[in-house]
Amino acid sequence: MTIPSTATTEQATDPATGPGGPAVARRGGCGVLGGLSPRTSFILRRLGRVLVSLAIVIVATFLIVQLVPGDPVRAALGNSATPELVERTRADLGLNVPVPEQFVNYVSGLFRGDFGTAIGSQRPVADTIAQRFPVTLTLAVASFLLAAIGAFPIGVATAVSSRTGRRRLADLGVSGLLGVLIAIPSLLLAVGLIAVFSIGLKVLPAAGWGSIDQAILPVVALAVGPMAYLARIVHVEMLAVLEMPYMTTARSKRLSTHLVYLRHALPNMVTSTLTIGGIILTGMVAGTVLIETVFAIPGLGTSIVSSITSKDYPMIQGIVLVYAILVLGLNLLIDIALATIDPRSSITEG
C-alpha cells in the first residue's frame, strides 16, 4: 500500500491550495469580505469606490468658492453693491468664518439636505434643485430609452445581414449613416431640428417643457448620436457572438432562426452592451446641459448656465454636486445589474 507523502498531505489540508482553496481565493474568500458571496463582495467594493469618489466631489465643490479670485460675494453682487450688503450676504452664506469651519458647516448642511442659499434669488438651493431635477432626469432617461430601443434592432439587423452576405449594399449604407450621425454634435443637431420642424414646417415647438410635442425635439436631439454609437457596438458584439462555437452547435441542431438569435445570441451580448450603454447614459446626463439651454427647458442644465453667468456660486456648488451624485449612482446601478446578469463579472473583477 502506498503511503501519501508529507507534501501531498499538507497540500490536501492546506485551505489555500487544497480542495476548494483556489476557488475561494479567486472569489475573494479571504480578508474582510471573505465570508460574503462574490456578488456581495463585488457590490460592496463598488459602493466603497462610489463613497470615495463622492467624498472627492464634495471637497471639489467646496473649493469652487474658495478658489475664486478675489471676493466671490462681491463678484456675484457686482461693484455697485454696498459694503453692508456684501457683509450681510457673506454672513448669510457662512463665509465670514475660518475655512475649516466653513467646510464643516458645508458638509453638515449637505447631510441635512441644505445646499445653501442662492445669491441671486435668496432662495434655498435645494428648492430649485428639487423643482428642476425631475425635468433633467426625465429628459436623460427618455432619450436613453429611445436610443436603446432604436439601437438594438438596427445593430442586430446589420450584423445578421453582414454575416449572411445578404443586402450587403443596404448594410454598408446603414453603417455609413450611423457613422455620420455619430459625428454630428448634439448642439448642431438640435439647431437643425429646430430649423426644420419648428421654423420651416412649424409642426413642433422650439422651446418649453411640459407636453409631449415640446419633448419630441430635445429627446431626439439628445438620443440620435448615442443611438448610432450604441447600434455600432451592438453590431460588433453581435458579429462576435455569431461566430462563437456554441452558435455553430445551435445552428447544427436545426433550431429555428428566431430561437437561435433570441435564446442563444442576444443573452450573450447583453453584458458588454450594457456596460457601454451605462457609459453612454452618464454622458447623456452631462449632455442635457446643452440641450436644455438650446430648447429653454427649465432643468438643472439651464440653471447651472445662468448661475455661471451670474456667478451664483452656491447654486453652482449644489447643481454640480447633484450631477456628480447622479452619475455615480447610475454607475453603481449598472455595476449591480452586471453582477446580477453575469455573475462571472463579480468573480473576475478585482
Side-chain angles (χ1 to χ4, degrees), residues 23 26-28 37-43 45-46 237 241 244-246 263-273 275 335-350:
R26 284 194 302 269
R27 295 188 302 208
S37 66
R39 194 180 79 147
T40 304
S41 300
F42 173 80
I43 293 174
R45 288 197 302 271
R46 289 303 195 196
E237 293 296 328
V241 168
M244 292 294 179
Y246 62 82
R263 178 175 295 181
H264 298 281
L266 289 180
N268 288 283
M269 58 167 286
V270 168
T271 302
S272 56
T273 305
T275 304
D335 288 336
I336 294 174
L338 285 174
T340 302
I341 295 173
D342 185 8
R344 293 171 299 178
S345 63
S346 62
I347 297 176
T348 58
E349 178 73 17

Side-chain angles (χ1 to χ4, degrees), residues 56-322:
I56 295 174
V57 169
I58 290 175
V59 173
T61 54
F62 172 76
L63 293 177
I64 288 177
V65 174
Q66 307 302 322
L67 297 179
V68 173
D71 187 352
V73 177
R74 170 65 69 180
L77 296 178
N79 295 327
S80 60
T82 62
E84 293 79 10
L85 176 60
V86 173
E87 289 302 319
R88 185 169 65 250
T89 304
R90 286 180 59 82
D92 293 339
L93 297 177
L95 299 178
N96 58 342
V97 297
V99 173
E101 187 176 347
Q102 291 182 35
F103 180 72
V104 173
N105 294 336
Y106 176 68
V107 174
S108 61
L110 293 180
F111 280 103
R112 298 192 308 269
D114 181 10
F115 289 82
T117 303
I119 296 178
S121 63
Q122 293 298 309
R123 291 181 55 199
V125 174
D127 291 351
T128 303
I129 292 176
Q131 179 183 1
R132 293 177 174 250
F133 175 75
V135 176
T136 298
L137 185 62
T138 302
L139 174 60
V141 172
S143 301
F144 179 76
L145 291 177
L146 177 61
I149 292 172
F152 271 88
I154 294 174
V156 171
T158 53
V160 173
S161 63
S162 296
R163 184 182 178 279
T164 58
R166 295 177 296 178
R167 295 183 288 274
R168 183 70 176 173
L169 185 60
D171 175 53
L172 290 175
V174 172
S175 299
L177 178 60
L178 292 178
V180 172
L181 294 177
I182 293 174
I184 298 177
S186 59
L187 179 61
L188 180 60
L189 180 61
V191 174
L193 291 174
I194 292 175
V196 174
F197 293 99
S198 298
I199 300 176
L201 300 178
K202 301 184 186 301
V203 294
L204 292 172
W209 186 264
S211 61
I212 295 179
D213 57 342
Q214 289 177 320
I216 291 176
L217 290 185
V219 168
V220 171
L222 186 58
V224 166
M227 180 186 67
Y229 183 75
L230 188 58
R232 294 285 291 270
I233 298 298
V234 172
H235 172 89
V236 173
E237 293 296 328
M238 191 65 176
L239 283 177
V241 168
L242 291 176
E243 298 301 326
M244 292 294 179
Y246 62 82
M247 289 299 298
T248 304
T249 303
R251 285 190 290 265
S252 68
K253 294 180 179 180
R254 299 185 181 278
L255 299 176
S256 66
T257 303
H258 295 290
L259 186 61
V260 170
Y261 290 141
L262 292 177
R263 178 175 295 181
H264 298 281
L266 289 180
N268 288 283
M269 58 167 286
V270 168
T271 302
S272 56
T273 305
L274 181 61
T275 304
I276 300 298
I279 298 174
I280 291 174
L281 176 57
T282 55
M284 294 175 73
V285 170
T288 56
V289 175
L290 287 176
I291 298 301
E292 288 180 7
T293 303
V294 173
F295 290 97
I297 297 174
L300 293 179
T302 52
S303 293
I304 194 170
V305 170
S306 61
S307 299
I308 292 174
T309 303
S310 61
K311 300 179 181 178
D312 195 335
Y313 297 105
M315 184 68 73
I316 297 173
Q317 284 179 309
I319 295 177
V320 168
L321 184 59
V322 168

